[in-house]
């Protein structure tokens, strides 16, 4: 059941607003490219990554958007404006831009409090369409609230709706201690999206299974993974990377990259590092003083993710790990490859991870990964070949796995090679965008052939064949 001031059903009882005629204005009568909308209500594609709530979704939308533009689409990426200082439109490349819509106060709002502003988001998006004289024939929505926006658009105009969840309430709520009040609404909306979208893009076979078993069997699902920029994240010289970062060859570097969020399991990693240090104190292989934990990501303690950062810092102090730990702060993708390369192992201790971009970035640089055996990580990391998978929360198994990689150089070298090959072959953004582009074209073609078949839509207008421009 949906709660609050939102409609309890989407699409059936609400008044039908007549769709506007697409491409009505002189400006767009002869479009050279097909414009599509990527919608990402909280994951601003133009935001600084690694700070507050900015993470994988922001990276995904931005990278997919730019790669789709290279394939011939006009890509308009919509997000919520969360600061009056942010530009309303950010032009990334000639055919790819971020458009920030005003929906609620222009300040950071935690995700669990954002849903109430989504009707305003829909209105702002429609106003933008009117102003530009366009109607997007296809929207790819990201995260459940954008999915709701997509369903609202679907109800008002003829639109092909593609959805990527990024995080699934049905899985997430099993892994967290506190269930927020928005949970029931989110679960209901996630089910509606699966049943109404023309296609849901699952980023791993595991996610597809979760959708089918935990959400609904009535969905149309394609598996298209997330990707990474393989020209940026690639094997480079470890010696050179360490030189640039001022890390000596003696140090054994354990790396964490990501947001400060409880479900990321940073605490497990800190405690595992402490266990490992105690074990090293018993042996002679590695000097415990040379064990270095680098924590990359997050912002200042007063920022939105500051509470978790403070909690983690307290645990580091309590375990007397201060000398072994560096909180590096946020690092841009331009320098992040240096950190991955300089590290001996990258650890992803998440309790829940829908995909986990960090895993493929690290592996692309040839860095072995120790990760929780959850979600997308079970698909991207091949245990014993590109890293090691261990049960989430399990401090001693994490310590053991990290220790194995740090102490077996020959094996670690083999893993490095296999890890980078796997990513280069399977997870490039270009490859991902080609698969998405094919999907979009298939759905747009279908909508022309059988306009009455629109899933979950009460809108009746159709597009004419002229309005679909071949995207590549
Ligand atoms: N990231 C970054 N700089 C940082 C920390 C993180 O660029 O300081 C990026 C990281 O490279 C990755 C993304 O943030 O691309 C995190 O994505 P992931 O899927 O691993 O986690 P999410 O944030 O979606 O939970």
């Amino acid at each position: 059941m949906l709660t609050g001031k939102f409609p309890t059903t989407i699409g059936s009882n609400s008044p039908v607003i007549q769709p506007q005629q697409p491409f009505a204005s002189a400006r767009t009568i002869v479009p050279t490219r097909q414009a599509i909308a990527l919608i990402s209500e909280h994951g601003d594609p133009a935001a600084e990554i690694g700070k507050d709530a900015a993470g994988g979704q922001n990276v995904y939308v931005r990278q997919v958007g730019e790669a789709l533009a290279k394939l011939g689409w006009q890509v308009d990426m919509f997000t919520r404006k969360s600061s009056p200082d942010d530009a309303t439109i950010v032009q990334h490349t000639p055919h790819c831009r971020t458009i920030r819509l005003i929906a609620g106060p222009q300040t950071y709002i935690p995700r669990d409090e954002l849903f109430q502003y989504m009707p305003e988001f829909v209105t702002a998006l429609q106003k933008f369409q009117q102003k530009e004289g366009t109607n997007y024939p296809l929207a790819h929505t990201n995260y459940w609230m954008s999915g709701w926006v997509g369903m609202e658009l679907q109800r008002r105009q003829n639109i092909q709706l593609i959805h990527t969840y990024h995080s699934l309430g049905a899985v997430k709520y099993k892994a967290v201690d506190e269930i927020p009040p928005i949970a029931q609404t989110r679960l209901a909306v996630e089910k509606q999206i699966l049943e109404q979208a023309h296609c849901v893009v699952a980023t791993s076979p595991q996610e597809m299974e979760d959708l089918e078993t935990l959400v609904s069997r009535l969905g149309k699902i394609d598996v298209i993974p997330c990707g990474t920029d393989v020209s940026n994240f690639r094997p480079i010289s470890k010696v050179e990377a360490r030189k640039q970062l001022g890390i000596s060859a003696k140090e054994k570097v354990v790396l964490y990259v990501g947001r400060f969020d409880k479900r990321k399991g940073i605490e497990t990693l800190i405690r595992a590092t402490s266990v490992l240090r105690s074990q090293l104190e018993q042996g002679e292989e590695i000097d415990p003083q040379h064990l270095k934990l680098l924590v990359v990501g997050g912002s200042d303690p007063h920022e939105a993710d500051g509470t978790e950062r403070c909690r983690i810092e307290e645990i580091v102090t309590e375990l007397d790990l201060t000398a072994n730990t560096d909180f590096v702060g946020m690092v841009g993708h331009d320098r992040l490859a240096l950190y991955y390369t300089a590290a001996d192992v990258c650890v992803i201790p998440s309790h829940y991870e829908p995909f986990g971009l960090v895993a493929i970035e690290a592996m692309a640089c040839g860095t072995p990964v120790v990760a929780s055996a959850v979600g997308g990580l079970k698909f991207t990391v091949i245990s014993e070949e590109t890293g090691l998978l261990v049960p989430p929360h399990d401090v001693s198994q994490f310590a053991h796995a990290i220790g194995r990689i740090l102490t077996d150089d020959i094996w670690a070298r083999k893993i490095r090679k296999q890890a980078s090959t796997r990513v280069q072959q399977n997870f490039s953004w270009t490859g991902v965008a080609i698969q998405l582009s094919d999907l979009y074209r298939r759905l747009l073609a279908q909508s022309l052939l059988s306009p009455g078949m629109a899933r979950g839509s009460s809108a009746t207008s159709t597009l004419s064949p002229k309005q679909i421009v071949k995207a590549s």
Side-chain angles (χ1 to χ4, degrees), residues 111 143 167-176 186 263 352:
R111 286 178 216 184
Y143 201 62
S167 162
L168 209 50
V171 181
K172 179 178 176 166
Y173 295 140
K174 283 204 250 173
V176 297
R186 174 177 174 171
R263 74 127 169 120
Y352 157 60

Side-chain angles (χ1 to χ4, degrees), residues 167-213:
S167 162
L168 209 50
V171 181
K172 179 178 176 166
Y173 295 140
K174 283 204 250 173
V176 297
D177 307 331
E178 284 167 39
I179 309 289
I182 196 74
Q184 287 311 311
T185 308
R186 174 177 174 171
L187 293 172
V189 173
E190 285 185 341
K191 182 167 183 284
Q192 279 179 321
I193 296 167
L194 183 52
E195 293 177 352
Q196 288 190 203
H198 294 87
C199 186
V200 158
V201 173
T203 54
S204 69
Q206 174 71 47
E207 189 185 355
M208 179 166 175
E209 195 185 314
D210 290 339
L211 284 163
E212 285 175 345
T213 54

Side-chain angles (χ1 to χ4, degrees), residues 218-230:
L218 301 179
K220 294 194 172 169
I221 308 171
D222 265 17
V223 178
I224 302 177
C226 290
T228 194
D229 180 354
V230 290

Side-chain angles (χ1 to χ4, degrees), residues 48-51 53-60 111 166 226 228 233 257-259 261 263-264 296-298 329-333 336 340 348 352-359 361:
E48 263 187 292
I49 309 302
K51 196 178 157 189
Q57 184 175 323
N58 309 58
V59 173
Y60 176 92
R111 286 178 216 184
H166 294 277
C226 290
T228 194
F233 296 115
V257 175
R259 295 177 292 116
D261 182 322
R263 74 127 169 120
K264 288 285 181 184
V296 169
M330 223 170 59
V331 175
H333 273 194
L336 206 48
Y340 287 128
I348 306 165
Y352 157 60
E353 197 60 74
F355 184 80
L357 283 175
V358 166
E361 290 167 5

Side-chain angles (χ1 to χ4, degrees), residues 11 14 111 145 176 232 293 316 318 345 350-351 381 388 391 416 457 469:
S14 323
R111 286 178 216 184
M145 283 179 278
V176 297
N232 182 43
L293 173 61
V316 167
E318 176 200 314
V345 56
S350 310
H351 305 159
V381 181
L388 290 169
R416 278 183 176 267
S457 167
V469 177

Side-chain angles (χ1 to χ4, degrees), residues 56-263:
Q57 184 175 323
N58 309 58
V59 173
Y60 176 92
V61 178
R62 169 79 173 270
Q63 295 286 349
V64 157
E66 287 189 9
L68 286 167
K70 279 193 197 147
L71 293 175
W73 302 88
Q74 166 62 42
V75 182
D76 288 348
M77 308 186 286
F78 292 92
T79 193
R80 198 185 73 85
K81 195 168 183 181
S82 62
S83 163
D85 300 332
D86 287 344
T88 300
I89 296 186
V90 180
Q91 196 75 45
H92 301 290
T93 61
H95 297 288
C96 177
R97 57 186 175 164
T98 291
I99 297 135
R100 295 186 171 117
L101 302 174
I102 295 178
Q106 293 179 53
T107 178
Y108 170 77
I109 299 172
R111 286 178 216 184
D112 287 345
E113 293 161 30
L114 212 50
F115 190 43
Q116 59 187 307
Y117 303 111
M118 289 304 106
E120 226 176 307
F121 193 100
V122 174
T123 307
L125 207 158
Q126 289 215 293
K127 273 198 188 137
F128 182 87
Q129 290 192 108
Q130 267 163 12
K131 206 174 102 218
E132 294 262 310
T134 188
N135 252 17
Y136 298 102
L138 182 145
H140 183 162
T141 55
N142 296 271
Y143 201 62
W144 70 274
M145 283 179 278
S146 294
W148 185 87
V149 170
M151 289 191 293
E152 277 295 295
L153 292 175
Q154 197 184 32
R155 197 168 61 79
R156 297 163 194 218
Q157 64 193 57
N158 184 20
I159 200 161
Q160 294 297 300
L161 179 61
I162 290 103
H163 183 73
T164 303
Y165 283 91
H166 294 277
S167 162
L168 209 50
V171 181
K172 179 178 176 166
Y173 295 140
K174 283 204 250 173
V176 297
D177 307 331
E178 284 167 39
I179 309 289
I182 196 74
Q184 287 311 311
T185 308
R186 174 177 174 171
L187 293 172
V189 173
E190 285 185 341
K191 182 167 183 284
Q192 279 179 321
I193 296 167
L194 183 52
E195 293 177 352
Q196 288 190 203
H198 294 87
C199 186
V200 158
V201 173
T203 54
S204 69
Q206 174 71 47
E207 189 185 355
M208 179 166 175
E209 195 185 314
D210 290 339
L211 284 163
E212 285 175 345
T213 54
L214 302 173
V215 182
S216 172
R217 293 213 171 262
L218 301 179
K220 294 194 172 169
I221 308 171
D222 265 17
V223 178
I224 302 177
C226 290
T228 194
D229 180 354
V230 290
S231 60
N232 182 43
F233 296 115
R234 64 194 164 85
I236 49 174
S237 153
K238 188 168 176 177
V239 175
E240 181 56 30
R242 286 199 170 200
K243 200 168 133 202
Q244 287 203 36
L245 296 176
I247 299 171
S248 91
K250 276 189 263 172
E251 280 176 307
K252 293 287 181 185
V253 177
V254 179
L255 177 71
Y256 169 84
V257 175
R259 295 177 292 116
F260 281 87
D261 182 322
K262 228 172 167 182
R263 74 127 169 120

